[in-house]
């Protein structure tokens, strides 16, 4: 949701390359965005998509902060705007 790496797939070689999207220090966790979009799409809709298609609940710092800030109950899906 707040990625620090991006990836690109080269169909001619069937290889995926990962690039740093910003400065990354040794020991930093790498974050990739599975779905584009931003803001409030937004966060709940993106989490629902990740759960359905990738089978996990995103608990990155951005999503955890969003859930805490807006006191989103467990199991709520869709978009909630402040």
């Amino acid at each position: 949701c707040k990625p620090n790496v991006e990836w690109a797939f080269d169909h001619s070689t069937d290889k995926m390359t990962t690039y740093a999207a910003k400065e990354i220090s040794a020991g930093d966790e790498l974050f990739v965005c599975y779905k584009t979009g931003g803001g409030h799409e937004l966060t709940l809709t993106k989490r629902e998509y990740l759960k359905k298609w990738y089978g996990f609940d995103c608990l990155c710092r951005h999503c955890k902060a969003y859930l805490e800030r807006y006191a989103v109950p467990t199991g709520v899906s869709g978009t909630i705007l402040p």
Side-chain angles (χ1 to χ4, degrees):
C1 301
K2 295 281 187 181
N4 58 5
V5 296
E6 296 176 2
W7 58 41
F9 187 78
D10 184 338
H11 292 279
S12 66
T13 62
D14 283 337
K15 292 185 180 181
M16 183 167 302
T17 304
T18 303
Y19 301 93
K22 56 176 123 178
E23 179 130 357
I24 300 171
S25 299
D28 284 354
E29 189 171 358
L30 302 180
F31 295 98
V32 65
C33 188
Y34 285 83
K35 187 172 189 291
T36 59
H40 289 282
E41 180 225 21
L42 319 199
T43 298
L44 292 178
T45 302
K46 205 181 312 186
R47 286 172 52 82
E48 185 177 278
Y49 173 88
L50 293 172
K51 182 68 168 183
K52 178 178 179 179
W53 294 102
Y54 293 96
F56 72 92
D57 292 311
C58 185
L59 294 175
C60 73
R61 275 184 264 165
H62 172 76
C63 285
K64 286 197 296 191
Y66 181 93
L67 296 173
E68 291 169 6
R69 179 175 183 187
Y70 297 106
V72 177
T74 304
V76 170
S77 62
T79 302
I80 295 177
L81 298 175

